[in-house]
Amino acid sequence: MMDKVRELQEMIDALVVAIPRERAARAFYMDLMKRATSETSRGIFLYLAEQEKLHEAKLTAMLAELKADLELARLKEKK
């Protein structure tokens, strides 16, 4: 069971790093969108920013699920 806890914690740690990177990438694309000179470029950068937002939402949901799984694994460990 200890391996399960360790594995879950490693995945949680990775997501804790990844989520802010998704936010930073979204901000980067939004900045490029604001500075773009053509409608086509603005559309592409907006699309990429929206994709980063979706990634962040998926990773946030995964993080919540993993935290719940970790709590259950720790409870089972105590038995």
Side-chain angles (χ1 to χ4, degrees):
M1 189 57 74
M2 189 67 140
D3 289 338
K4 178 73 170 176
V5 169
R6 189 177 307 118
E7 180 183 359
L8 288 167
Q9 189 60 57
E10 287 174 356
M11 289 188 285
I12 288 168
D13 292 345
L15 291 177
V16 166
V17 171
I19 291 169
R21 290 183 180 185
E22 296 293 339
R23 287 183 195 131
R26 181 170 186 262
F28 172 74
Y29 290 128
M30 291 300 291
D31 183 56
L32 289 175
M33 183 198 72
K34 291 174 186 171
R35 294 187 290 134
T37 57
S38 76
E39 197 61 38
T40 301
S41 295
R42 282 191 291 276
I44 290 169
F45 293 134
L46 178 59
Y47 171 79
L48 292 171
E50 289 170 349
Q51 291 302 303
E52 298 301 338
K53 187 175 182 179
L54 291 173
H55 297 164
E56 180 186 352
K58 287 178 185 178
L59 294 178
T60 300
M62 288 172 63
L63 180 60
E65 187 175 323
L66 288 170
K67 284 181 175 181
D69 290 348
L70 179 61
E71 187 61 32
L72 285 175
R74 285 183 173 155
L75 288 172
K76 287 180 183 178
E77 224 177 47
K78 290 181 181 180
K79 289 183 178 183

